[in-house]
Amino acid sequence: MNSKVKYDSWSITVDDLSYACDKWASALFFLGNGHAGIRNRLPLSSGLGLTERGIFIEGVFEYIRRGITDMVNLPDPFDLKLSAGGTILTSCSQLSLCSRSLDLRKGILTTVLAFGGREFRIEQFASHHDRNIAGIRVSTAAYPDVSIEDSFCADVANIPVSDDQKTSNEEVITLIKDAAVSCKGNGIMSLSFSTVCGTHSLTFTKKNRDYICDGTLIHESLVSFCGGDLSCADYEEERDKSAEALSSLWQRRDILLEGASISLQCALRFNIFQLIQNAPSCDISIGARGLTHGRYKGCYFWDTDVFLLPYYLLADRSVAEHLARYRIRNLDAARRVSASLNTRGARYPWMASLDGSEQCESWDTGKCEMHISADVAWALSRYDAAFDLAEDERMAIAEVYAETARFWLSRFTYSSERDCYDLIFVKGPDEYCGVTSNNAYTNHMAILNVCLALRACDEGLIRLEDGEREKFSDFIMKVKRPYSGRLGTILEDDNYLNLEDVDLSVLKESDKPLYWTYDYDTLQRLRVLKQPDVLLLYLMQPSLFTVQEAERAWDEYEARCAHDSTLSWPLHALIAYKLGKEEEAWKYLRKSLFLDLENLMQNTHSEGLHIGAMGASLEAVLYGMLGHAFSSDEKTDSSPQLPDDVSHVSYCFLEKGEFRHRRV
Ligand code: IFM
């Protein structure tokens, strides 16, 4: 592989000057602990734009206009001013050396910079022991012409990214107000500030210590994101406690590929590491880019329910609980979304922030991509099946099933002529389908959702309204199930066969998404998919397909898929595993594991890390390669399908809430 990254089994290094200074490296070397996230730009004093720093805290959103929030780009607690040979470092062009290396086992980032004839070594961590703490240490030979200054920078702003992938926004919005620094003596100072509408008032405390040891000038700084008392805190102690906490987490999270190349093993660990770094610490969800970037205004999508939660079900019960409870706690908000659209029950928003309100501003996606409500119900059913939940939590989940079922009944249109329920004006997971009718994925997921409500009622977890049981049963029987005799499998939607048949290999010559070349109006008229749709349905509900139908679905839809969503490669890997297509699975899995590491979609620099795709890649490993059952339709786990160069895989996973070790 002709790579910008040097791989070791537990670390990645970028030491080519131009790559290490690239924005892609700021994303790649992101440090986080689920509570706080730091996009790792270089310390260019006054050379950084207002929006470049990228410090985020879980759940810290602020209004940018009526009803719409953005994840706040917070003040930078480590505003370094490095000078050497009479110059201050303000631009990458001054650097003669820049090497960055991330130790995945310890969560420590080391950057070595040279300019003005001097070399600086910077070490950073976001604590996995105390999630409110992060630290930085800068060291350099103690020549008289070097200095290290470190303060806060509250001169930051947001640049809200449009929901429309093709529209770039230049407008900067300041979301921080009343920033005030106070010095408390002994190197301790604090920065207090609020977000513009007063939604959050925060204090960052910081403790700096400068000293010379054996001819080396050392600057150490610790920050507490909650204004905690750092007077007795010591940099090395905090760093080591964090490394220890992370190392012990790895004992249960590592997936060891015996015999695999170093780069592959490292890429797998990098993906796992990001799911550790972005796992929330409270009942909150994970944004499509986690805490690594403000893309999609930091919002939570179905990515969490379908592509992240299943990973945590096998890896970390407390994170799975946070994700599930975020949805349960936002049932009322989902009721309000539904009422605002004149439907009944609860409709989960396509893009949600902390309070569960709809944040998607585009009509076709926000109003029509509604499968998320059934995805949430599906995810909660997987959560319920994975753990022995208390009765009151099961009842709360049952309420979600019933309310989302009510939404579906009111959103489908009953045709008395055909005695059938149709879903019109809908967008499926394949977002190139335009606004269509009877998207098979959505219809079948809605049926499953209503079945879950009925089952919960049978179990005595919820009481349905009078006559509702009959209505639900009628709905389940009569929902339109698109099928093509000609294709011999489930049909994506009512429109699919009307679309222009095109040769995808002519349209798409590289991994660059088609939407950069063709308008969505063109794409929605072509028989080209953005990401799996019917094939995803096969993953969620395999019993809807015979073996032959699943094979035909693969032949029809995989060949036409442009993989223009980063979720597409890992999902095709997982689906290929389920169909026993090891070679294809492996081809897709390799691509997805290296997606950000090699910037394969060429948007990691501008969008941050693709956390949803990373979750899906780990699903491909655990539920595909290692054979765990993804859906409740799969009665038993299937046998592992290891690539040729991997002799064994060792890992831990949760079964009925208990960790088990397995070597296959
Ligand atoms: O949820 C996805 C969607 O499926 C494709 N576009 C990007 C979204 C966020 O990752």
Side-chain angles (χ1 to χ4, degrees), residues 270-282:
F270 180 78
N271 281 257
I272 299 170
F273 182 62
Q274 300 308 338
L275 292 207
I276 294 174
Q277 290 210 110
N278 286 283
S281 68
C282 54

Side-chain angles (χ1 to χ4, degrees), residues 2 36 43 98 181 202 213 244 272 303 311 358 363 408 425 435 508 534 551 647 651:
N2 184 12
C98 180
V181 177
L202 297 169
C213 178
E244 230 172 85
I272 299 170
D303 301 33
Y311 166 71
E358 180 61 88
W363 174 80
W408 289 118
F425 300 107
V435 175
K508 188 162 167 140
V534 171
E551 286 288 344
S647 61
Y651 67 108

Side-chain angles (χ1 to χ4, degrees), residues 432 500-510 512-514 517-518 522-523 526-529 560 562:
Y432 287 168
E500 186 184 328
D501 199 354
V502 284
D503 181 351
L504 183 58
S505 62
V506 174
L507 287 184
K508 188 162 167 140
E509 287 164 345
S510 69
K512 189 174 140 201
L514 287 175
T517 314
Y518 300 95
T522 305
L523 293 170
L526 305 180
R527 212 178 295 169
V528 167
L529 281 73
R560 295 180 185 278

Side-chain angles (χ1 to χ4, degrees), residues 165 288-289 296 301-303 307 350 369 371 429 431 530-531 565-567 612:
Q165 275 165 308
R289 301 291 179 270
Y296 297 119
F301 286 76
W302 71 313
D303 301 33
F307 311 117
W350 177 242
E369 195 156 357
H371 56 84
E431 292 169 334
K530 187 177 182 200
Q531 62 200 86
S565 158
T566 53
L567 297 169

